[in-house]
Structures are given as C-alpha cells and as structure tokens.
Amino acid sequence: MKYLKKAARTAETDQADVHAAVTQMLAAIETGGEEAARRYARELDRWDGDIVVSHEARKAAAALVPEQIKADIRFAHDNVRRFAEAQRATSTDIAVEILPGLTLGQKQIPVSAAGCYVPGGRYSHVASAIMTITTAKVAGVSHIAACSPPRPGVGIPPAILYTMDLCGADVILNMGGVQGVAAIANGLFGVKKADILVGPGNQYVAEAKRILFGQVGIDMVAGPTDSMVIADATADAEFVAADLVGQAEHGWNSPVWLVTSDENLAKRVMARVPDLIEGLPAPNRDSARAAWADFAEVILCHDAEEMAAVADDYAPEHLHVQASDLDWWLQRLRAYGSLFLGEETTVAFGDKTSGPNHVLPTSRAARYTGGLSVHKFLKTVTWQRATRAAARPLAEATARISRLEGMEGHARTADIRLAKFFPDEVFELKPASDES
C-alpha cells in the first residue's frame, strides 16, 4: 500500500491535558453536592434556572417542536427501539444440567439505574438521546436519568427535551459537562445513583467518565469520532467524497480515511473534497477543513484483501464499504464499530435514524469492543444448584485442588459436606503429591 495523503497529526496529537481540571471538579461536586454542581452550571452553562426539568416544561417543549420534526424523531426512535428489542432477544436466561444433579445457569439482569449524557453545544443531538435512553429502556433499566447542556435563558433545546421525554427518561437535568455527569453519578437532584454512565460528549465529559469508571460502569472511553470508506473502481467518487466530508464536519480532529484500490478514483475524490467542504456552512466548514487538512488519509492498496487488512488495522468507528461483492466484505472484515455496506446506505443513516446504535468505539478501540447496545445495560450473572449425589464428586475434587493450592479453608468447606452427606464413607481428600 502507499499513502496518497498522509495525516500530519493523529486524533490524540496535542490533546489538552484535562485530567487535573476534571479531577478537581469531580472532587468538588462529590464534597459540595448540589450546590457545587449548581455553581458549575452557573459558571460553565450560564444557567441559573431549574435543574430538574418539570413535567410542565416537558409538555411545553413538545408544543414548540414542529410536527414534521416530531414525526422524524418518532421514526428514528421506532427503528432504534425495534433493533434494540431484537438485540435483547439474543440475551437469554439459560439452565443446563452439566452432570447428573448439577444444574448451572445464567440470568440477564438489567442495571437498576443508568445515566445518559446527551451532547448539546452547537448541535442539537436528538439522535444521541434516542440512542442512549431508548436502549436503556429496552434493556429494562428501571431508573433512567438524562442530562444535557442548557442554553442560556432557554434550557435544554425543545427538540432534545421532546426526544428525552419520548424515549422514557425518568429524570431530566438542565446540566451539561462534568457537572451533569457528576450529578448523575452521585445521585444529586433526586436522581438515583447511576450504575452506568453512557453517551458521547466532549473531552471533559469523556475524561469524567474515565475517572468515574469503577465507581460506576461506563459504555466506553471515547475519543474524536473517526470514519473510513473502502472503495474500489465501482464506487461513485461523488458519494465517497460527500461521505468523507459528512463525517469530517464532526470536529477539527475527526479523522476520515479513504482506502481504495483505484488510483483514479482516489484522485477524483481528493480533488472534489475541498469544494464540498467550502460549500458547508460555518462552523461545520471550519471543522471539516481542519480535519481534512491535518487528519485525513488516502491509502492506495493493491486489492481487496489488502484494503481489508488496512481496515482491520485502523479499526475505525464507522466503516463504509462502497465496493463489489458486499457479502465477501461482511464476512472478511474484523474490526469496526459499525459497518455500512453499499452506496445505498451512509454513516449518517446510522448516526441518526436507521436503528443500530451510534455510540461506538473510537481510537482503534473497535479491536476489542463493540458499541453501545442493550447488552451494556445487562449483567450476565450465573447460578448453580446441586443434589447431594452431584455434590460428591465436586467436593472430592474441590478438596484436593484446594489443598494443592494451599487453601485449607476452601478444602474444609468441601470436607464437611462429604461428612454430612455420606457419613459412612471415607474419602481421600489430599492431592496425590502431598506427602504430609
């Protein structure tokens, strides 16, 4: 392979060290509680209104959202819900008799409380509300809290608020950033302490979730969004260029990569991208321009197998194949957050409406994990039950293995059961190599 365009920087280059600032904020909120969280809301969100969104405010927000937008949101919500329900059906309780009289099982238990972060800022991320809250609801989480940055004098934008309510948030907080995450993690403002925190956010939100991991579960540690297009000679250069630009607008440090076996296609795409970027409105244009200049790459490969190997190495968050023999790609590719097959789909469909979750692993994390799903909200726990007859071989082997390991207390819990269940028998409960 060879690079026709090589990134000058990576998504991790020159990232601000926010750890100290976030640590300080989390400690202040843990100690100062609601008043500390309110103080950060006033300072950072410029918000001095109600923190908990009332039922009346939810209804008022719904009245402000145009009917067509409501219909579109309901369409997306229905697709995400139905896909999540299909996922949930794959997680089942089981019971199996491993030995006569020894029954083992697993149960799928949803966490009790989830916190969903919905980004605000310059974009109204209604899709993130759908992806997080809906998925938690389908998983069976009994208490779902959601938060999002309020806009000064407005609060959470009406479309986001309508979506949060539609998807089933039990409590909604007018609070963004670290303070919003910390409020939910610590159970402030009437929120039940979260068992898990999910949802995308800026580097401060991501760092807060990383630090809180252990105290609570998290979906993943996320970096800047990234996307790859695989294209061969059959691809439409205009589609490829538009798809790259569409993802580059996420942010100045959002990498986009083109991997292709056709140099002519690559050159046409590289020539077209700058024009498409300049046609975007601000600030999208500035973000896409910076991302393309500093982080984008165009990689020329010899054949499909080499393109697939490059994709597996990069492990992109979004991977869009615009090439022939889509079934081959579906079977071959091994590392991606979400896969888009053919020009009839696009990453934006997955980001907004089609159904699979858009909260996905970034920064090559797709090598070892998938994205947000109902499974993230479920605990797979195990159980066992035995008859006295089944306990016999278990106790004998357990006693000997425990003594081999030097764990006498473990061994004796097996010994006493054999003594009670089979009082007239004598057992050899020392490992054969034990000469004592």
Side-chain angles (χ1 to χ4, degrees), residues 264-285:
N264 181 52
L265 173 80
K267 290 179 178 178
R268 283 185 285 143
V269 170
M270 292 170 67
R272 185 70 178 116
V273 163
D275 290 339
L276 294 178
I277 290 174
E278 294 310 310
L280 291 174
N284 312 53
R285 178 176 59 249

Side-chain angles (χ1 to χ4, degrees), residues 61-62 65 69-70 73-74 157-167:
V65 181
I69 295 297
K70 288 182 183 178
I73 291 171
R74 289 193 297 267
I160 295 181
L161 195 51
Y162 167 77
T163 306
M164 289 172 155
D165 185 64
L166 171 72
C167 296

